[in-house]
Amino acid sequence: MEQTCKRYMYRWRLSYSHAPLSDICSFLSLVIFLLAAHLIAFHHASSFFAVDIMIKPDGVQRGLVGEIIKRFEQKGFKLVAMKLTAPGKEHMEKHYADLSSKGFFAGLITYMTSGPVVAMVWEGKGAVLEGRKMLGATMPSESAMGTIRGDFCIEVGRNICHGSDSVESAQKEIALWFPEGLTSWASCANPWVYE
Ligand code: DAT
Ligand code: MG
């Protein structure tokens, strides 16, 4: 066994010492790249983030505000901003700017400006990813039961709630909806939610 190990070590040293410097550099760069990618992915998945959640006009009209807030509270997220507001067409067009080329855009803006909405910011570990899971798929027919859309709606054009789809869009949306800033506070539940 010892002999075999020694032989392998010898062969490895031999091949290593014969490898061109550029190959070793490429290999090291690959290792560094993979490590960095892993660190970034881990940071995004597990860090504390704030997510912009909005209860759309149909959610407000149908009396689902309490139910939706309850789910985020029960999950363990912390509410750091909230308002009932009807900000108008220009604001909604900014909010959905990335969808402006879609055929449904005009209808979406009409729907989103048809009544007040409740805008909120929830904070917690992996809030963006978890928030999207809690909302369910965009198409209610594809949303799993147990998710907000799966439980409470039927059509995509009346899918009752919005949630930021990435950390970057959450930051943009929070700046758009809450230019006054968020409320910073310490939750006494923290040690009971996080280990
Ligand atoms: P999500 O709200 O899940 O982030 P999205 O950003 O792609 O989905 O679209 C924003 C909203 O636009 C969505 O909640 C409802 C509406 N929408 C999306 N796709 C649609 C479609 N094919 N027909 C009608 N409305 C649509
Ligand atoms: Mg979206």
Side-chain angles (χ1 to χ4, degrees):
M1 179 66 186
E2 203 182 324
Q3 282 296 320
T4 320
C5 282
K6 274 187 185 154
R7 219 177 300 138
Y8 271 112
M9 289 291 287
Y10 175 73
R11 272 199 211 148
W12 182 81
R13 248 184 265 142
L14 206 65
S15 60
Y16 185 80
S17 62
H18 282 78
L21 192 62
S22 61
D23 279 6
I24 296 168
C25 286
S26 319
F27 176 72
L28 282 178
S29 319
L30 182 70
V31 170
I32 292 168
F33 171 78
L34 288 175
L35 261 174
H38 180 78
L39 278 176
I40 291 168
F42 178 77
H43 176 76
H44 267 219
S46 64
S47 291
F48 272 67
F49 283 120
V51 60
D52 175 55
I53 298 292
M54 188 218 313
I55 305 170
K56 297 180 178 181
D58 47 339
V60 175
Q61 295 287 355
R62 292 177 53 199
L64 293 170
V65 172
E67 173 65 36
I68 293 170
I69 291 176
K70 186 191 81 176
R71 290 184 177 214
F72 281 86
E73 266 188 336
Q74 286 184 340
K75 175 78 178 167
F77 291 134
K78 189 172 81 173
L79 183 64
V80 289
M82 178 164 73
K83 63 180 155 198
L84 176 80
T85 173
K89 192 165 176 271
E90 202 182 316
H91 182 99
M92 285 302 181
E93 284 173 347
K94 263 194 210 154
H95 175 82
Y96 280 124
D98 60 325
L99 298 175
S100 59
S101 62
K102 302 282 183 189
F104 58 80
F105 186 68
L108 175 63
I109 300 302
T110 305
Y111 156 52
M112 291 303 300
T113 51
S114 63
V117 300
V118 175
M120 303 176 277
V121 180
W122 291 89
E123 196 181 88
K125 189 174 180 180
V128 174
L129 205 62
E130 297 304 317
R132 289 293 293 191
K133 283 190 216 159
M134 290 166 68
L135 255 56
T138 304
M139 299 288 172
S141 56
E142 290 164 16
S143 308
M145 290 300 147
T147 64
I148 295 168
R149 287 167 174 171
D151 287 351
F152 300 118
C153 57
I154 296 171
E155 288 205 314
V156 66
R158 297 289 182 272
N159 64 359
I160 65 169
C161 52
H162 160 83
S164 320
D165 61 6
S166 67
V167 172
E168 290 71 25
S169 56
Q171 282 162 350
K172 266 195 231 158
E173 290 167 8
I174 291 168
L176 175 68
W177 287 87
F178 296 95
E180 68 276 25
L182 309 176
T183 300
S184 164
W185 61 289
S187 165
C188 65
N190 257 19
W192 301 104
V193 175
Y194 301 102
E195 19 175 23

